[in-house]
Amino acid sequence: MPIPARNSARSVLVTPLLNAVLSRVRPAETGMASGVLSTGQQIGGSGGVAVVGVIFYGTLGRGGHRNASAYGHALTASLVLSLALAVAVSVLVSLLPPTGQEPRRPPGLRRSADAAPIRRG
């Protein structure tokens, strides 16, 4: 899979995944959950780069820098791993329960549509 296509596919997956995760959080804890999610993304991203790098350089081998076709083989192996991980995450996200319900609110907290308008002037 070409790199631009892979990045486009990844960007299509990220937004629904973030929405699925944050839709299950109470509004009072949204900021905290967003911070934890962002930290998890950073750790997962750095771990993913490390794993893909290990696969790439492990497939390339010691003498790979002398053989141009070895780079293509190593790239293919690392992209297959990336694709397999993307499919696995897609399957796991599809197994999440539906989010047809509104999140619970703490007592006394009104929806923004019910709140009184702010007067400026």
Side-chain angles (χ1 to χ4, degrees):
M1 174 181 271
I3 292 175
R6 186 187 66 182
N7 289 339
S8 296
R10 185 174 292 158
S11 66
V12 170
L13 292 173
V14 169
T15 301
L17 180 60
L18 295 178
N19 288 340
V21 170
L22 290 177
S23 68
R24 290 168 172 74
V25 176
R26 291 186 298 222
E29 297 170 342
T30 302
M32 190 171 28
S34 177
V36 169
L37 185 60
S38 178
T39 302
Q41 283 180 304
Q42 295 296 321
I43 292 169
S46 61
V49 167
V51 168
V52 170
V54 165
I55 297 298
F56 180 85
Y57 287 107
T59 305
L60 185 61
R62 290 184 174 223
H65 63 281
R66 296 187 188 123
N67 184 358
S69 66
Y71 282 96
H73 181 65
L75 179 63
T76 301
S78 61
L79 289 177
V80 166
L81 172 70
S82 295
L83 179 63
L85 291 174
V87 168
V89 168
S90 297
V91 168
L92 290 173
V93 168
S94 71
L95 295 175
L96 287 172
T99 60
Q101 301 171 346
E102 236 182 82
R104 289 178 280 156
R105 289 182 183 78
L109 185 65
R110 298 184 296 185
R111 294 184 308 158
S112 60
D114 298 336
I118 298 174
R119 295 185 185 200
R120 298 177 189 214

XYZ file of all heavy atoms in Angstrom:
858
model
N 0.855 -1.172 0.000
C 0.000 0.000 0.000
C 0.901 1.235 0.000
O 1.775 1.357 0.853
C -0.898 -0.039 1.242
C -1.739 1.195 1.426
S -2.775 1.141 2.914
C -4.213 0.379 2.259
N 0.700 2.160 -0.924
C 1.523 3.372 -0.959
C 1.358 4.189 0.324
O 0.297 4.180 0.947
C 0.985 4.138 -2.165
C 0.217 3.154 -2.961
C -0.240 2.092 -2.024
N 2.403 4.887 0.685
C 2.406 5.641 1.945
C 1.290 6.680 1.995
O 0.612 6.791 3.021
C 3.795 6.239 2.208
C 4.774 5.100 2.492
C 3.761 7.224 3.377
C 6.201 5.529 2.645
N 1.039 7.487 0.934
C -0.079 8.447 1.027
C -1.429 7.768 1.255
O -2.247 8.262 2.029
C -0.053 9.171 -0.321
C 1.340 9.031 -0.805
C 1.798 7.688 -0.312
N -1.645 6.624 0.622
C -2.914 5.909 0.824
C -3.009 5.380 2.257
O -4.076 5.422 2.871
C -3.030 4.763 -0.172
N -1.902 4.883 2.779
C -1.895 4.373 4.151
C -2.178 5.499 5.142
O -2.949 5.337 6.080
C -0.551 3.725 4.462
C -0.532 3.054 5.824
C 0.826 2.578 6.162
N 1.663 3.765 6.304
C 2.944 3.741 6.558
N 3.564 2.625 6.667
N 3.629 4.850 6.701
N -1.573 6.663 4.930
C -1.814 7.793 5.828
C -3.246 8.287 5.725
O -3.838 8.697 6.723
C -0.828 8.913 5.546
C 0.574 8.560 5.997
O 0.767 7.684 6.835
N 1.559 9.226 5.432
N -3.822 8.253 4.527
C -5.226 8.651 4.369
C -6.134 7.681 5.105
O -7.083 8.089 5.774
C -5.601 8.689 2.890
O -4.854 9.669 2.225
N -5.847 6.402 4.987
C -6.651 5.398 5.692
C -6.533 5.572 7.198
O -7.518 5.460 7.926
C -6.211 3.998 5.276
N -5.343 5.877 7.658
C -5.139 6.078 9.096
C -5.926 7.290 9.587
O -6.532 7.255 10.655
C -3.653 6.249 9.385
C -3.360 6.330 10.867
C -1.893 6.344 11.124
N -1.352 5.036 10.768
C -0.087 4.817 10.469
N 0.766 5.793 10.465
N 0.330 3.619 10.179
N -5.942 8.373 8.807
C -6.673 9.561 9.240
C -8.176 9.311 9.258
O -8.895 9.903 10.050
C -6.335 10.754 8.345
O -6.807 10.529 7.029
N -8.676 8.427 8.401
C -10.096 8.081 8.404
C -10.447 7.251 9.642
O -11.555 7.336 10.155
C -10.464 7.321 7.109
C -11.848 6.723 7.172
C -10.348 8.254 5.916
N -9.511 6.482 10.148
C -9.764 5.634 11.310
C -9.657 6.380 12.634
O -10.333 6.035 13.600
C -8.775 4.464 11.336
C -8.920 3.412 10.249
C -7.758 2.432 10.325
C -10.232 2.688 10.385
N -8.818 7.390 12.695
C -8.519 8.031 13.980
C -9.722 8.778 14.546
O -10.043 8.633 15.727
C -7.297 8.965 13.845
C -7.127 9.836 15.071
C -6.045 8.140 13.620
N -10.425 9.564 13.737
C -11.535 10.364 14.256
C -12.652 9.499 14.835
O -13.102 9.762 15.959
C -12.067 11.305 13.160
O -11.003 12.152 12.746
C -13.208 12.153 13.671
N -13.133 8.474 14.131
C -14.167 7.635 14.762
C -13.677 6.937 16.028
O -14.434 6.757 16.975
C -14.518 6.604 13.686
C -14.058 7.193 12.413
C -12.910 8.084 12.746
N -12.412 6.559 16.049
C -11.874 5.907 17.230
C -11.869 6.871 18.425
O -12.290 6.509 19.526
C -10.465 5.397 16.959
C -9.755 4.691 18.100
C -10.547 3.468 18.541
C -8.364 4.292 17.687
N -11.418 8.103 18.211
C -11.418 9.086 19.287
C -12.838 9.398 19.747
O -13.096 9.524 20.949
C -10.728 10.372 18.828
C -9.240 10.260 18.522
C -8.693 11.585 18.034
C -8.473 9.781 19.724
N -13.770 9.526 18.802
C -15.161 9.778 19.173
C -15.736 8.623 19.978
O -16.475 8.839 20.939
C -16.009 10.023 17.927
C -15.717 11.353 17.290
O -15.173 12.255 17.918
N -16.061 11.480 16.024
N -15.414 7.406 19.595
C -15.925 6.241 20.322
C -15.409 6.219 21.753
O -16.143 5.896 22.679
C -15.524 4.957 19.595
N -14.171 6.579 21.937
C -13.587 6.560 23.277
C -14.143 7.696 24.130
O -14.592 7.488 25.258
C -12.049 6.635 23.193
C -11.439 6.850 24.557
C -11.498 5.374 22.555
N -14.130 8.911 23.591
C -14.539 10.067 24.395
C -16.053 10.160 24.596
O -16.506 10.837 25.509
C -14.019 11.360 23.768
C -12.506 11.547 23.857
C -12.078 12.816 23.139
C -12.034 11.569 25.298
N -16.846 9.459 23.798
C -18.299 9.519 23.971
C -18.746 8.782 25.230
O -19.852 8.982 25.695
C -18.998 8.926 22.753
O -18.771 7.535 22.678
N -17.891 7.973 25.791
C -18.241 7.211 26.990
C -17.781 7.887 28.285
O -17.842 7.298 29.342
C -17.636 5.816 26.898
C -18.299 4.987 25.847
C -17.528 3.733 25.546
N -18.248 2.846 24.664
C -18.410 3.032 23.377
N -17.904 4.095 22.797
N -19.081 2.178 22.641
N -17.321 9.113 28.170
C -16.781 9.820 29.325
C -17.778 10.888 29.771
O -18.396 11.563 28.951
C -15.427 10.482 28.939
C -14.874 11.301 30.074
C -14.442 9.426 28.520
N -17.922 11.030 31.077
C -18.793 12.083 31.595
C -18.218 13.447 31.245
O -16.990 13.620 31.203
C -18.925 11.946 33.108
C -19.708 10.720 33.511
C -19.924 10.705 34.984
N -18.622 10.640 35.654
C -18.347 9.887 36.693
N -19.262 9.148 37.217
N -17.150 9.880 37.223
N -19.080 14.429 30.998
C -18.598 15.756 30.594
C -17.614 16.382 31.581
O -16.678 17.052 31.174
C -19.878 16.595 30.496
C -20.950 15.607 30.206
C -20.546 14.354 30.933
N -17.793 16.130 32.857
C -16.893 16.709 33.852
C -15.493 16.121 33.769
O -14.531 16.714 34.253
C -17.461 16.495 35.255
N -15.357 14.960 33.149
C -14.059 14.287 33.066
C -13.483 14.289 31.647
O -12.511 13.592 31.369
C -14.212 12.849 33.563
C -14.622 12.786 35.018
C -14.999 11.382 35.447
O -15.271 10.542 34.569
O -15.035 11.142 36.661
N -14.075 15.077 30.754
C -13.636 15.075 29.358
C -12.197 15.546 29.209
O -11.418 14.956 28.460
C -14.568 15.950 28.512
O -15.893 15.462 28.644
C -14.175 15.927 27.053
N -11.813 16.597 29.906
C -10.442 17.109 29.802
C -9.423 16.092 30.274
O -8.377 15.886 29.639
N -9.729 15.446 31.380
C -8.831 14.428 31.918
C -8.721 13.246 30.946
O -7.631 12.758 30.662
C -9.376 13.955 33.273
C -8.440 13.101 34.047
S -8.986 12.763 35.749
C -10.735 12.852 35.712
N -9.852 12.809 30.409
C -9.847 11.687 29.471
C -9.096 12.049 28.195
O -8.381 11.222 27.627
C -11.273 11.276 29.136
N -9.247 13.276 27.753
C -8.539 13.722 26.552
C -7.029 13.700 26.771
O -6.270 13.298 25.886
C -9.004 15.127 26.184
O -8.305 15.607 25.080
N -6.583 14.105 27.948
C -5.155 14.069 28.262
C -4.611 12.652 28.317
O -3.533 12.364 27.801
N -5.380 11.752 28.925
C -4.957 10.349 28.995
C -4.914 9.751 27.590
O -3.980 9.028 27.229
C -5.901 9.537 29.913
C -5.659 8.051 29.784
C -5.743 9.998 31.352
N -5.920 10.078 26.774
C -5.968 9.568 25.399
C -4.792 10.088 24.582
O -4.151 9.340 23.846
C -7.286 9.976 24.752
C -7.558 9.447 23.362
C -7.575 7.928 23.360
C -8.875 9.983 22.859
N -4.482 11.356 24.736
C -3.346 11.939 24.010
C -2.035 11.285 24.434
O -1.177 10.988 23.587
C -3.294 13.445 24.265
O -2.196 14.015 23.619
N -1.875 11.064 25.726
C -0.672 10.387 26.211
C -0.584 8.971 25.656
O 0.479 8.528 25.219
C -0.664 10.356 27.747
O -0.719 11.696 28.241
C 0.577 9.662 28.289
N -1.706 8.268 25.643
C -1.735 6.922 25.077
C -1.382 6.913 23.601
O -0.674 6.021 23.124
N -1.849 7.928 22.871
C -1.505 8.023 21.452
C -0.003 8.231 21.261
O 0.602 7.632 20.367
C -2.244 9.183 20.796
C -3.685 8.910 20.504
C -4.327 10.106 19.848
O -4.299 11.210 20.388
N -4.901 9.885 18.691
N 0.587 9.080 22.072
C 2.025 9.342 21.948
C 2.846 8.098 22.269
O 3.796 7.765 21.560
C 2.447 10.495 22.872
C 1.837 11.828 22.511
C 2.283 12.309 21.149
O 3.433 12.160 20.770
N 1.361 12.871 20.398
N 2.476 7.409 23.342
C 3.196 6.183 23.716
C 2.994 5.108 22.655
O 3.942 4.435 22.241
C 2.745 5.697 25.109
C 3.204 6.688 26.180
C 3.266 4.297 25.402
C 2.604 6.444 27.545
N 1.751 4.946 22.198
C 1.471 3.965 21.156
C 2.189 4.286 19.858
O 2.706 3.387 19.179
N 2.239 5.571 19.504
C 2.936 5.972 18.280
C 4.422 5.693 18.347
O 5.010 5.151 17.391
N 5.041 6.018 19.473
C 6.478 5.764 19.585
C 6.772 4.271 19.647
O 7.742 3.793 19.054
C 7.057 6.486 20.809
O 6.453 6.015 21.992
N 5.919 3.521 20.324
C 6.093 2.071 20.342
C 5.879 1.470 18.964
O 6.597 0.543 18.559
N 4.902 1.990 18.223
C 4.644 1.507 16.868
C 5.806 1.767 15.933
O 6.184 0.898 15.133
N 6.395 2.960 16.036
C 7.564 3.273 15.207
C 8.710 2.331 15.549
O 9.420 1.841 14.656
C 7.983 4.748 15.396
C 9.351 5.021 14.817
C 6.957 5.678 14.764
N 8.883 2.041 16.823
C 9.958 1.135 17.236
C 9.736 -0.278 16.681
O 10.665 -0.889 16.149
C 10.057 1.097 18.759
N 8.506 -0.778 16.771
C 8.224 -2.131 16.289
C 8.379 -2.212 14.771
O 8.993 -3.146 14.246
C 6.812 -2.583 16.729
C 6.379 -3.848 16.014
C 6.761 -2.783 18.231
N 7.845 -1.222 14.059
C 7.971 -1.222 12.601
C 9.443 -1.086 12.204
O 9.902 -1.724 11.256
C 7.101 -0.112 11.972
C 7.400 0.053 10.492
C 5.626 -0.430 12.166
N 10.211 -0.294 12.944
C 11.647 -0.171 12.671
C 12.386 -1.479 12.887
O 13.273 -1.836 12.100
N 12.024 -2.191 13.935
C 12.655 -3.490 14.191
C 12.341 -4.457 13.048
O 13.229 -5.172 12.567
C 12.194 -4.068 15.555
C 12.539 -5.536 15.684
C 12.807 -3.270 16.695
N 11.086 -4.467 12.602
C 10.708 -5.338 11.482
C 11.457 -4.924 10.213
O 12.001 -5.763 9.493
C 9.183 -5.303 11.243
C 8.431 -5.836 12.448
C 8.808 -6.055 9.972
C 8.728 -7.270 12.796
N 11.493 -3.616 9.941
C 12.161 -3.128 8.729
C 13.642 -3.507 8.724
O 14.135 -4.124 7.784
C 11.997 -1.608 8.613
C 12.651 -1.028 7.396
C 11.987 -1.008 6.183
C 13.929 -0.500 7.464
C 12.588 -0.482 5.051
C 14.540 0.026 6.340
C 13.872 0.039 5.132
N 14.350 -3.139 9.784
C 15.793 -3.398 9.808
C 16.122 -4.873 10.019
O 17.155 -5.352 9.563
C 16.485 -2.523 10.850
C 16.546 -1.090 10.380
C 15.738 -0.119 10.945
C 17.387 -0.720 9.340
C 15.772 1.187 10.500
C 17.429 0.580 8.882
C 16.620 1.527 9.471
O 16.659 2.816 9.010
N 15.234 -5.604 10.690
C 15.438 -7.037 10.817
C 15.287 -7.742 9.475
O 16.032 -8.674 9.156
N 14.329 -7.292 8.672
C 14.139 -7.855 7.340
C 15.262 -7.418 6.401
O 15.705 -8.196 5.552
C 12.777 -7.425 6.763
O 11.754 -7.799 7.675
C 12.503 -8.069 5.423
N 15.711 -6.188 6.567
C 16.776 -5.664 5.702
C 18.068 -6.442 5.903
O 18.776 -6.753 4.953
C 16.994 -4.177 5.995
C 17.984 -3.437 5.122
C 17.553 -3.466 3.665
C 18.126 -1.996 5.602
N 18.384 -6.773 7.127
C 19.592 -7.545 7.422
C 20.848 -6.699 7.380
O 20.820 -5.501 7.095
N 21.955 -7.325 7.662
C 23.224 -6.610 7.744
C 23.740 -6.150 6.392
O 24.308 -5.098 6.266
C 24.280 -7.474 8.416
C 24.002 -7.661 9.867
C 25.112 -8.445 10.508
N 24.864 -8.462 11.936
C 25.799 -8.282 12.822
N 27.045 -8.099 12.463
N 25.507 -8.305 14.097
N 23.572 -6.946 5.372
C 24.114 -6.595 4.065
C 23.116 -5.901 3.165
O 23.381 -5.690 1.989
N 21.991 -5.517 3.707
C 20.934 -4.926 2.905
C 21.283 -3.600 2.275
O 20.759 -3.239 1.232
N 22.193 -2.862 2.894
C 22.523 -1.549 2.354
C 23.238 -1.645 1.013
O 23.366 -0.675 0.293
C 23.359 -0.752 3.364
C 24.686 -1.369 3.663
N 24.796 -2.439 4.532
C 25.928 -1.093 3.225
C 26.078 -2.784 4.615
N 26.776 -1.982 3.836
N 23.677 -2.829 0.642
C 24.348 -3.008 -0.646
C 23.385 -3.457 -1.736
O 23.722 -3.441 -2.905
C 25.459 -4.048 -0.503
C 26.546 -3.605 0.429
C 27.701 -4.587 0.416
N 28.619 -4.198 1.467
C 28.988 -4.993 2.458
N 28.542 -6.231 2.520
N 29.824 -4.579 3.379
N 22.191 -3.881 -1.334
C 21.240 -4.438 -2.281
C 19.953 -3.595 -2.251
O 19.237 -3.596 -1.262
C 20.933 -5.889 -1.896
C 20.030 -6.581 -2.877
O 19.571 -5.991 -3.847
N 19.757 -7.844 -2.615
N 19.667 -2.910 -3.360
C 18.507 -2.016 -3.395
C 17.194 -2.774 -3.269
O 16.231 -2.260 -2.685
C 18.519 -1.200 -4.677
N 17.115 -3.976 -3.792
C 15.856 -4.724 -3.717
C 15.537 -5.156 -2.282
O 14.375 -5.398 -1.951
C 15.891 -5.939 -4.642
O 16.850 -6.872 -4.195
N 16.549 -5.246 -1.445
C 16.317 -5.608 -0.046
C 15.505 -4.533 0.666
O 14.701 -4.836 1.554
C 17.639 -5.845 0.675
N 15.689 -3.275 0.269
C 14.911 -2.183 0.871
C 13.433 -2.325 0.526
O 12.561 -2.076 1.362
C 15.445 -0.829 0.408
C 16.693 -0.412 1.128
C 17.937 -0.649 0.581
C 16.617 0.208 2.362
C 19.095 -0.281 1.242
C 17.764 0.584 3.040
C 19.001 0.345 2.475
O 20.132 0.709 3.147
N 13.141 -2.708 -0.718
C 11.747 -2.920 -1.107
C 11.107 -4.042 -0.320
O 9.955 -3.940 0.116
N 11.856 -5.115 -0.118
C 11.344 -6.246 0.662
C 11.111 -5.837 2.123
O 10.080 -6.193 2.720
C 12.320 -7.424 0.572
C 11.874 -8.630 1.312
N 10.747 -9.347 0.969
C 12.388 -9.247 2.407
C 10.588 -10.350 1.811
N 11.573 -10.306 2.688
N 12.033 -5.090 2.689
C 11.891 -4.650 4.084
C 10.709 -3.689 4.229
O 9.957 -3.758 5.213
C 13.189 -3.987 4.549
N 10.535 -2.800 3.245
C 9.400 -1.875 3.287
C 8.088 -2.638 3.193
O 7.131 -2.340 3.921
C 9.510 -0.849 2.160
C 8.384 0.172 2.074
C 8.348 1.026 3.335
C 8.549 1.048 0.849
N 8.039 -3.628 2.321
C 6.827 -4.441 2.181
C 6.498 -5.149 3.494
O 5.341 -5.157 3.928
C 6.999 -5.479 1.055
O 7.276 -4.782 -0.160
C 5.756 -6.329 0.896
N 7.495 -5.708 4.150
C 7.262 -6.407 5.422
C 6.730 -5.446 6.481
O 5.786 -5.778 7.217
C 8.554 -7.064 5.903
N 7.293 -4.246 6.558
C 6.838 -3.296 7.576
C 5.446 -2.757 7.245
O 4.642 -2.516 8.151
C 7.848 -2.163 7.745
O 8.002 -1.456 6.538
N 5.118 -2.586 5.967
C 3.778 -2.125 5.601
C 2.723 -3.199 5.839
O 1.594 -2.882 6.222
C 3.755 -1.668 4.142
C 4.502 -0.370 3.848
C 4.462 -0.057 2.356
C 3.947 0.780 4.649
N 3.093 -4.464 5.644
C 2.158 -5.558 5.939
C 1.842 -5.576 7.439
O 0.683 -5.749 7.839
C 2.727 -6.916 5.459
C 1.964 -8.087 6.047
C 2.722 -6.973 3.946
N 2.847 -5.367 8.257
C 2.614 -5.285 9.700
C 1.685 -4.116 10.031
O 0.741 -4.274 10.809
C 3.936 -5.133 10.458
C 3.787 -4.850 11.950
C 3.248 -6.075 12.675
C 5.091 -4.405 12.542
N 1.937 -2.954 9.441
C 1.085 -1.785 9.684
C -0.353 -2.053 9.261
O -1.298 -1.679 9.969
C 1.621 -0.562 8.933
O 2.867 -0.182 9.429
N -0.530 -2.681 8.117
C -1.875 -2.998 7.639
C -2.563 -3.993 8.575
O -3.739 -3.828 8.900
C -1.814 -3.563 6.224
C -3.148 -3.961 5.608
C -4.051 -2.740 5.469
C -2.926 -4.612 4.265
N -1.842 -4.988 9.033
C -2.423 -5.975 9.951
C -2.855 -5.310 11.257
O -3.938 -5.610 11.791
C -1.416 -7.090 10.225
N -2.050 -4.403 11.767
C -2.420 -3.692 12.992
C -3.643 -2.808 12.776
O -4.520 -2.718 13.640
C -1.237 -2.873 13.507
C -0.059 -3.687 14.048
C 1.107 -2.772 14.394
C -0.481 -4.502 15.251
N -3.725 -2.143 11.614
C -4.888 -1.298 11.310
C -6.164 -2.138 11.228
O -7.221 -1.739 11.735
C -4.665 -0.540 10.011
N -6.080 -3.302 10.619
C -7.238 -4.198 10.535
C -7.636 -4.675 11.929
O -8.824 -4.710 12.268
C -6.947 -5.389 9.591
C -8.007 -6.467 9.706
C -6.821 -4.908 8.157
N -6.655 -5.023 12.746
C -6.944 -5.485 14.112
C -7.653 -4.395 14.923
O -8.635 -4.668 15.618
C -5.662 -5.921 14.810
N -7.183 -3.159 14.815
C -7.816 -2.053 15.534
C -9.230 -1.818 15.008
O -10.159 -1.572 15.781
C -6.957 -0.775 15.429
C -7.717 0.443 15.899
C -5.684 -0.942 16.239
N -9.417 -1.918 13.704
C -10.754 -1.738 13.126
C -11.723 -2.789 13.654
O -12.871 -2.478 13.978
C -10.694 -1.822 11.600
O -9.914 -0.793 11.090
N -11.275 -4.019 13.749
C -12.127 -5.085 14.284
C -12.453 -4.817 15.749
O -13.607 -4.948 16.173
C -11.451 -6.462 14.104
C -12.164 -7.544 14.892
C -11.381 -6.816 12.629
N -11.464 -4.415 16.521
C -11.705 -4.137 17.943
C -12.668 -2.966 18.130
O -13.528 -3.003 19.010
C -10.376 -3.864 18.653
C -9.461 -5.075 18.807
C -8.111 -4.646 19.381
C -10.104 -6.136 19.666
N -12.533 -1.924 17.299
C -13.441 -0.778 17.403
C -14.859 -1.196 17.042
O -15.823 -0.750 17.674
C -12.958 0.392 16.508
C -14.017 1.454 16.363
C -11.703 1.002 17.090
N -15.010 -2.063 16.054
C -16.357 -2.503 15.674
C -17.011 -3.334 16.776
O -18.231 -3.463 16.804
C -16.308 -3.293 14.368
O -15.698 -4.544 14.571
N -16.231 -3.894 17.672
C -16.779 -4.683 18.775
C -17.223 -3.830 19.963
O -17.853 -4.350 20.885
C -15.743 -5.712 19.246
C -15.381 -6.787 18.221
C -14.264 -7.671 18.774
C -16.585 -7.612 17.835
N -16.900 -2.535 19.945
C -17.345 -1.654 21.024
C -18.863 -1.544 21.010
O -19.485 -1.566 19.947
C -16.731 -0.262 20.856
C -15.248 -0.125 21.160
C -14.752 1.258 20.758
C -14.979 -0.363 22.623
N -19.480 -1.416 22.167
C -20.945 -1.287 22.192
C -21.372 0.035 21.552
O -20.618 1.007 21.550
C -21.290 -1.320 23.684
C -20.022 -1.038 24.400
C -18.901 -1.419 23.497
N -22.587 0.090 21.004
C -23.056 1.323 20.363
C -23.209 2.447 21.377
O -23.386 2.214 22.568
C -24.407 0.932 19.762
C -24.819 -0.300 20.470
C -23.570 -0.976 20.945
N -23.164 3.667 20.862
C -23.242 4.840 21.734
C -24.515 5.621 21.480
O -24.494 6.812 21.310
C -22.037 5.754 21.516
O -22.043 6.169 20.144
C -20.736 5.092 21.854
N -25.648 4.942 21.467
C -26.912 5.606 21.187
C -27.422 6.448 22.345
O -28.322 7.252 22.183
N -26.856 6.303 23.508
C -27.339 7.042 24.676
C -26.505 8.288 24.895
O -25.334 8.333 24.566
C -27.258 6.163 25.916
C -28.064 4.893 25.798
C -27.771 3.970 26.967
O -26.822 4.155 27.703
N -28.602 2.959 27.134
N -27.161 9.277 25.470
C -26.446 10.484 25.856
C -25.625 10.181 27.097
O -26.051 9.430 27.960
C -27.459 11.582 26.200
C -27.265 12.833 25.387
C -28.240 13.899 25.791
O -27.979 14.593 26.787
O -29.263 14.019 25.116
N -24.426 10.767 27.224
C -23.633 10.513 28.431
C -24.335 11.045 29.678
O -25.074 12.016 29.619
C -22.324 11.259 28.182
C -22.467 11.973 26.903
C -23.758 11.612 26.276
N -24.073 10.378 30.784
C -24.657 10.831 32.050
C -24.026 12.146 32.477
O -22.834 12.358 32.317
C -24.445 9.784 33.133
C -25.289 8.551 32.910
C -25.026 7.534 33.971
N -23.777 6.862 33.583
C -22.969 6.257 34.409
N -23.235 6.219 35.679
N -21.868 5.686 33.986
N -24.851 13.019 33.042
C -24.363 14.311 33.529
C -24.484 14.348 35.049
O -25.407 13.780 35.612
C -25.200 15.442 32.949
C -24.969 15.656 31.494
C -25.810 16.837 31.005
N -25.622 16.987 29.590
C -26.211 16.224 28.677
N -27.007 15.276 29.034
N -25.981 16.410 27.399
N -23.565 15.044 35.696
C -23.707 15.217 37.146
C -24.991 15.981 37.455
O -25.454 16.775 36.640
C -22.477 16.036 37.538
C -21.529 15.907 36.393
C -22.343 15.632 35.185
N -25.580 15.761 38.619
C -26.805 16.479 38.979
C -26.576 17.983 38.934
O -25.544 18.497 39.335
C -27.100 16.018 40.412
C -26.280 14.785 40.606
C -25.146 14.846 39.649
N -27.558 18.689 38.416
C -27.479 20.150 38.360
C -26.829 20.690 37.098
O -26.893 21.880 36.834
N -26.220 19.853 36.306
C -25.579 20.299 35.068
C -26.595 20.183 33.945
O -27.164 19.135 33.713
C -24.350 19.447 34.767
C -23.515 19.869 33.577
C -22.898 21.241 33.838
C -22.427 18.868 33.312
N -26.844 21.305 33.248
C -27.836 21.304 32.176
C -27.152 21.182 30.830
O -25.987 21.519 30.675
C -28.641 22.594 32.216
C -29.413 22.759 33.503
C -30.259 23.979 33.462
N -29.424 25.178 33.360
C -29.894 26.401 33.405
N -31.160 26.624 33.531
N -29.094 27.431 33.316
N -27.928 20.707 29.844
C -27.406 20.683 28.481
C -27.233 22.111 28.008
O -27.931 23.024 28.438
C -28.379 19.958 27.542
C -28.517 18.497 27.842
C -29.401 17.805 26.851
N -30.683 18.514 26.739
C -31.489 18.428 25.694
N -31.170 17.684 24.681
N -32.627 19.057 25.668
N -26.326 22.334 27.082
C -26.072 23.679 26.598
C -27.299 24.272 25.915
O -27.522 25.468 25.935
C -24.871 23.693 25.653
O -25.121 22.856 24.552
N -28.165 23.432 25.317
C -29.373 23.935 24.665
C -30.375 24.458 25.703
O -31.187 25.331 25.400
C -30.016 22.830 23.844
N -30.317 23.938 26.939
C -31.235 24.359 28.002
C -30.696 25.531 28.804
O -31.412 26.113 29.596
C -31.501 23.210 28.967
C -32.179 22.037 28.274
O -32.829 22.253 27.233
O -32.021 20.915 28.781
N -29.448 25.872 28.629
C -28.835 26.916 29.436
C -29.339 28.293 29.010
O -29.726 28.516 27.865
C -27.316 26.862 29.292
N -29.330 29.195 29.967
C -29.762 30.572 29.667
C -28.711 31.246 28.792
O -27.515 31.019 28.953
C -29.912 31.337 30.980
N -29.147 32.072 27.849
C -28.179 32.753 26.986
C -27.337 33.757 27.775
O -27.785 34.324 28.768
C -29.065 33.466 25.942
C -30.414 33.552 26.559
C -30.530 32.424 27.534
N -26.142 33.982 27.316
C -25.250 34.944 27.955
C -25.511 36.316 27.364
O -25.549 36.496 26.151
C -23.770 34.546 27.713
C -23.515 33.183 28.334
C -22.836 35.607 28.276
C -22.146 32.636 28.023
N -25.730 37.287 28.239
C -25.975 38.652 27.773
C -24.674 39.442 27.818
O -23.965 39.424 28.813
C -27.017 39.327 28.642
C -28.347 38.651 28.505
C -29.370 39.397 29.275
N -30.612 38.645 29.211
C -31.767 39.202 29.443
N -31.851 40.450 29.785
N -32.849 38.466 29.352
N -24.407 40.105 26.749
C -23.203 40.939 26.671
C -23.635 42.362 26.439
O -24.558 42.635 25.716
C -22.303 40.459 25.542
C -21.846 39.053 25.792
C -21.029 38.575 24.665
N -20.800 37.138 24.869
C -19.729 36.503 24.544
N -18.765 37.141 23.952
N -19.611 35.231 24.777
N -22.898 43.224 26.969
C -23.285 44.590 26.650
C -22.859 45.523 27.629
O -22.569 46.363 28.152
